[in-house]
Amino acid sequence: MDGDRAPAGSRVAPELLLTAALIAVAVAVRFLGFGLETIDYDWYLGPWSRFIAAHGGFAALAHPFSDYNVAYLYLLTGFTWLSQHTPLPVLFWIKLGSALFDGVLAVYAARIVALRGPGWRMPLLAGLSVLLLPTVVLNGSYWGQCDTIYSAFAVAGLYHLLRGRQWAGTALIAVAFAFKVQTIFLFPALAALLLTRRLRWRCMITIPVIYVLFAVPAWLTGRPFGDLMLIYVGQTDRFPALTLNAPNIYAFLRPAESHLDMVRTAGILFAIAAILGLIFLIVAREVVLDTEHIVVLAAASALLAPFLLPGMHERYFMLAEVLTVVAAFWVPRRLWFVPVLVQAASIITYETYLVQAKPAPVDLRILTLLVFTALATTIGYLFRVRKPARLAPTPVGNTIAG
């Protein structure tokens, strides 16, 4: 009977209540980790903050006391100031800053899924999935890292590109690059968009311009401009190991120490060749880069680079972990298991570090095979034989490069 049918509003109310409950859980589980001090804090972030406090706050940026780019050091300077003027320690502010960007990351992941079509449930589920993704929770609120900060800007940039806002999109990706060099994992997707005339070449000027603009305040304090421009170059040789607990192809290699540099260099060249080969196939096979395929390409790009490059930390899969969730919500029937595989591999490597599990609970080579399966599935979807493309919002403005 019609009288027994629940009004639409009464059906929505329980879902909103459950959403609020899940957000409350996401907040609570983050605060639970705020007091945890990790090795990274004891060796890096803590000493950096104390250096900033001892050398006049912002004036400390004239000194090369950290190998992080200055975009994050500006935040760390602010966190240090807050710790000096509030009862809360700097570790709290560091983790709170990352946790806030967790929320930004989840919002933009949801907004990309919302481009799929009408309806609010799928985008909401996508956002909640990212917000509660174990590695997203652990990265900032437990580990005290800032990978969700650059990832938030990168995903926001991707969203604006998909909306056709090319200048805004590339500018946000440029901000992400100013925070972390790992933003380059998204660059193969940008290259494919450029070569298929979906993205204007002139928009790419935002990346060097914004990088330089971020360096200017530190330069004005007295830091040599050349040092600021070459920070990422200096990072490349900091960790000579082929893999630092990252589930990538180097889990299968055990070269003698005398051959380490040669294997590392060959690995970089091989990664570049593989990435260029992927882009070549996209162009040669005239893959239709509609909105759906751009989302999947971004996920594949974020997976491929850290899977093939040497010297990767386990944290460097953060962007891939989030974008594979977004891609799975775009193509749920074919890609639903991809983020499950990536997350399973990543969460185990996180555990190995955070609780210092010895021996590692799962052989790194097995985790590498999980990531390889996810990568092969994602790339394979790009080249599958397709029927006429599903209607979707115009990708990247549908413009011709000028």
Side-chain angles (χ1 to χ4, degrees):
M1 294 176 62
D2 290 343
D4 296 331
R5 187 176 300 165
S10 66
R11 293 198 302 272
V12 172
E15 293 171 335
L16 294 179
L17 183 62
L18 289 169
T19 298
L22 287 170
I23 292 174
V25 169
V27 172
V29 75
R30 283 168 168 80
F31 273 103
L32 185 64
F34 272 27
L36 177 66
E37 290 189 13
T38 64
I39 295 174
D40 280 12
Y41 175 77
D42 292 336
W43 290 2
Y44 304 109
L45 295 175
W48 294 347
S49 176
R50 291 191 290 273
F51 185 93
I52 290 170
H55 290 79
F58 196 80
L61 298 178
H63 306 280
F65 62 90
S66 166
D67 65 344
Y68 270 34
N69 204 357
V70 289
Y72 182 74
L73 296 182
Y74 297 151
L75 289 182
L76 185 59
T77 301
F79 298 150
T80 302
W81 184 89
L82 286 169
S83 69
Q84 294 173 323
H85 294 83
T86 67
L88 299 171
V90 69
L91 181 60
F92 173 89
W93 294 109
I94 288 171
K95 293 189 173 184
L96 180 62
S98 292
L100 291 175
F101 276 96
D102 292 353
V104 176
L105 181 60
V107 166
Y108 274 100
R111 296 185 76 178
I112 292 176
V113 174
L115 298 177
R116 190 173 182 270
W120 55 272
R121 288 180 177 84
M122 288 284 278
L124 178 61
L125 284 172
L128 290 172
S129 297
V130 170
L131 193 63
L132 289 164
L133 207 62
T135 49
V136 170
V137 173
L138 292 173
N139 187 277
S141 299
Y142 288 75
W143 202 331
Q145 291 292 345
C146 60
D147 296 280
T148 53
I149 296 179
Y150 87 86
S151 296
F153 282 111
V155 173
L158 177 62
Y159 167 77
H160 286 286
L161 287 179
L162 294 170
R163 290 296 307 274
R165 302 164 185 163
Q166 298 192 20
W167 287 104
T170 52
L172 285 165
I173 291 171
V175 173
F177 180 69
F179 274 93
K180 278 278 188 131
V181 69
Q182 285 76 38
T183 305
I184 63 171
F185 299 162
L186 201 57
F187 284 15
L190 296 181
L193 293 174
L194 288 167
L195 293 173
T196 56
R197 304 172 71 85
R198 291 297 192 184
L199 178 60
R200 296 186 185 95
W201 284 92
R202 60 176 174 267
C203 294
M204 298 303 291
I205 192 64
T206 58
I207 294 177
V209 168
I210 288 177
Y211 186 87
V212 170
L213 288 176
F214 265 100
V216 168
W219 172 62
L220 292 176
T221 66
R223 183 85 177 267
F225 190 74
D227 288 356
L228 292 167
M229 294 297 99
L230 297 175
I231 285 176
Y232 290 153
V233 175
Q235 290 178 356
T236 57
D237 296 327
R238 183 170 177 79
F239 299 103
L242 292 179
T243 177
L244 294 102
N245 206 30
N248 64 13
I249 59 173
Y250 300 97
F252 291 95
L253 299 181
R254 297 288 189 274
E257 189 172 349
S258 58
H259 293 83
L260 202 59
D261 288 343
M262 180 187 68
V263 174
R264 185 183 175 93
T265 302
I268 293 172
L269 294 174
F270 171 75
I272 293 172
I275 289 168
L276 292 176
L278 175 63
I279 297 170
F280 177 86
L281 287 174
I282 290 171
V283 175
R285 295 192 59 176
E286 299 180 342
V287 173
V288 178
L289 289 180
D290 56 6
T291 309
E292 176 183 297
H293 275 64
I294 294 173
V295 171
V296 175
L297 173 60
S301 176
L303 260 179
L304 181 63
F307 186 76
L308 296 179
L309 285 168
M312 298 289 103
H313 291 259
E314 63 281 277
R315 296 182 288 106
Y316 293 176
F317 281 92
M318 171 60 68
L319 193 55
E321 291 155 13
V322 173
L323 288 177
T324 51
V325 169
V326 174
F329 273 92
W330 258 90
V331 194
R333 292 187 178 181
R334 293 180 177 270
L335 300 181
W336 65 268
F337 62 92
V338 168
V340 176
L341 294 176
V342 175
Q343 189 62 203
S346 291
I347 193 64
I348 293 172
T349 59
Y350 269 52
E351 177 197 354
T352 303
Y353 173 84
L354 286 174
V355 300
Q356 296 293 294
K358 296 185 184 301
V362 180
D363 192 307
L364 192 60
R365 291 169 292 185
I366 295 175
L367 304 181
T368 297
L369 292 176
L370 295 182
V371 177
F372 174 76
T373 302
L375 177 61
T377 302
T378 307
I379 291 177
Y381 183 80
L382 289 173
F383 297 102
R384 73 187 182 94
V385 177
R386 301 194 65 202
K387 295 179 180 180
R390 171 176 57 184
L391 291 178
T394 304
V396 199
N398 197 28
T399 55
I400 301 300

